[in-house]
Amino acid sequence: MQYSLFKPANETKYTGGSVTFQQQQLKDQTQAASDAAAPVKTKVPSRPAARADKPKAIRGVPFVQYVLVGGGTASYSAMEAIREAQPDAQVLIIAEEDFVPYQRPPLSKELWFGETSADLKFTDWQGNESSLFYLPKESYSVMKADDLGKIGEPTSKIQLLSGVSVVKINPEDQTVVLSNGKRVQYGRVLVATGGSPKNLPALEKATDDTKSRILTFRGIKDFKRLDSIAQGEKTIAIVGGGFLGSELAIALCDKGVKVVQLFPEDGNMGLVFPRYLTKWTTSKLRQAGVDVRSNSDIETVVKKGEKVEIKVKGGAAVEADYVIVAVGLAPNEDLARESGLELDPVRGGITVNAELEARTNVFAAGDVTSFHDIALGRRRVEHYDHAVMSGRMAGFNMTGAKKPYTHQSMFWSDLGPDVSYEAVGLIDSKLPTVGVWAKVDAAVEKPLPEKEVYGRGVVFYLTPERKVVGVLAWNLPGKMDIARKIIREGKAYADVDSLSRLFNVHGN
C-alpha cells in the first residue's frame, strides 16, 4: 500500500546503553510469533436480542441463518464468534478449496523447519505438536455442491460446502449463487474471499512451457508442490524482497537449496524498513546463503533446456530450475463486483462501514476489506491478526452486536534464528523514522557502524507532524500493546527517543 503524501525522509538512528548485547535465542524470538498466532481473546458482546433476518422463503432454495463465503481465517473466526454469541446458530461455510479451514502463516514459517508430517502437523516454538488446521475434519459436516439438500439438517458439526465458489450475492432476496447455478438463501452473509498472489508482466507473458516452472505461493497445494521440488541440488529463484519472499528464501536455504532472490528495491524489505535496516537485513540473508540480487528489474523469463533463464535489465541473467513469485497480494474482488458492492478504488477491496457491513445483512472481513481505522484512516490490511480480529467482530455484528471494529492489527516475521520482529500500524519506508537500538560498547548516542549488528531495538514511523503512526519492535517480543496505545493516542512527539524507554530497549 502506498502513502504518496509523505515525502521520503532521512532516517535517524540512536544507540545507547551499556548492557551486554546478545542475539536472542530461537525460543525467545519465536515467542512473538506464537503469541500473535494464538487466538486473541475478545470480550464477547452481550447476547443480542435480534437474530439474523429471515427473508421470504423461496421454494426449492435452502435457507441458512449465517452464510460465510470463504474458507480462510477470517471466515473461521467469524464462525467462532457467531457460535459464542448464539451457540445454536446455523452456520454454513462455503470454500473453494477442498480443505477444512487452516492457518496460512506456518506455510512459510514453521512447516519448513523440522519434520513435516503428511497431515501437516509441525512442532511449535514450545516443542509441542501443532496442526495447520484449526479443527480436525471430523468437526465438520463436509458437503459438495450436489449435497445442498443436507443444508439445514440438525447437526452439532460445522457445515462446510467445499469445492465450490459463490459467484454472486443478491441482497434483495438474500441469496448467494453458486458456481453450479444453485442458490442458498441467507439471513446474513459474510464475504471473506481473501486475496490471490500478484504476478509481474514479464512472467505473465511467458510461454506455457515456461510457466510450468513458475510458481506462486498461497495455500496448501502450493506448499506441497514447493516442498516436493525443494529436494536435491536445485536452484530456485525467488522474485520479491518482502515478507513472504524473504521467509521462503531462508527456509529453502535451510533445506540445502541454492536460492537466488531478486527484487527492484535497494535492499531486502525495502518497501517497509528504513534504508539502513534494509542494508543490514540484505547482508543477513547473504550470510544465510541467499544470493541476493537487489535493484533487479525482470525483463523476460524463458525456458532454456531444463532451466528457466531470467533476464534482468542492466544485469546478469539468472538460471534456475524453478521461479517463485512473491510480489504481493491482490484482493479477490470478483464476487463483490458482480454483486454490486462498493469497492475502494485506491486501496482495493470491499468498502465497509465501522461495523464491517457493506450492504444490509452483507458483511466483509479479512484481506478483502477496506475499513476505517479510527487512528490511521481508511486502510486495507493483509495480516493474519487482522483476519482473526475482523472476522470475529464481523461475526459478532452479524448476530446483532453493532460494535465498531477498532483493533490495530500487527504482524510478525523471522529472518532465521537470530531475528524476530513484530510491527503495528503504518510500516512504510517512505515515512520519516526514528530508530533506537541497543549497543554493546557505547553509552553515547551515535549512528551504528555499517557492519554493526542490529540485535534489539525499536523503530518509530512518523508523520511530518511527528505523530507516531507505526512501530517496529526488533527482537522485543510482547510490546505491541504499548505500540498500539502510542498510535491510538495520536500525539505529536518532539522527542520520540523518549518513547523507547517504554520498550526497554537497553534492558534496564
Side-chain angles (χ1 to χ4, degrees), residues 31-43:
Q31 172 74 61
S34 176
D35 291 344
V40 183
K41 293 182 179 180
T42 303
K43 184 177 179 181

Side-chain angles (χ1 to χ4, degrees), residues 2 78 121 161 201 235 249 331 341:
Q2 305 298 319
K121 290 184 178 179
L161 185 60
T235 298
L341 303 182

Side-chain angles (χ1 to χ4, degrees), residues 28 98 144 472:
D28 294 332
D98 291 323
K144 296 297 181 181
L472 170 67

Side-chain angles (χ1 to χ4, degrees), residues 117-234:
S117 63
D119 55 358
L120 297 177
K121 290 184 178 179
F122 57 91
T123 302
D124 65 19
W125 71 274
Q126 293 177 313
N128 299 321
E129 187 179 69
S130 300
S131 174
L132 190 72
F133 302 99
Y134 291 110
L135 292 172
K137 191 172 183 178
E138 294 73 28
S139 301
Y140 298 85
S141 174
V142 182
M143 299 171 287
K144 296 297 181 181
D146 295 332
D147 299 328
L148 290 186
K150 297 180 182 179
I151 293 178
E153 292 181 357
T155 179
S156 60
K157 295 184 176 183
I158 304 161
Q159 289 192 316
L160 173 64
L161 185 60
S162 66
V164 66
S165 62
V166 174
V167 297
K168 188 176 183 180
I169 298 172
N170 296 312
E172 292 75 16
D173 60 8
Q174 294 181 223
T175 59
V176 297
V177 182
L178 305 179
S179 51
N180 64 357
K182 295 183 179 181
R183 293 183 294 168
V184 176
Q185 198 170 32
Y186 63 83
R188 286 176 184 158
V189 64
L190 175 73
V191 181
T193 47
S196 297
K198 292 180 180 178
N199 208 334
L200 297 177
L203 302 177
E204 291 176 336
K205 294 176 182 177
T207 64
D208 290 342
D209 192 31
T210 303
K211 286 180 179 178
S212 68
R213 299 234 165 198
I214 300 175
L215 296 74
T216 54
F217 193 91
R218 178 65 173 161
I220 289 176
K221 291 182 179 179
D222 301 323
F223 168 80
K224 288 184 174 180
R225 184 184 179 195
L226 182 56
D227 187 44
S228 68
I229 289 171
Q231 308 292 334
E233 296 182 358
K234 296 278 179 53

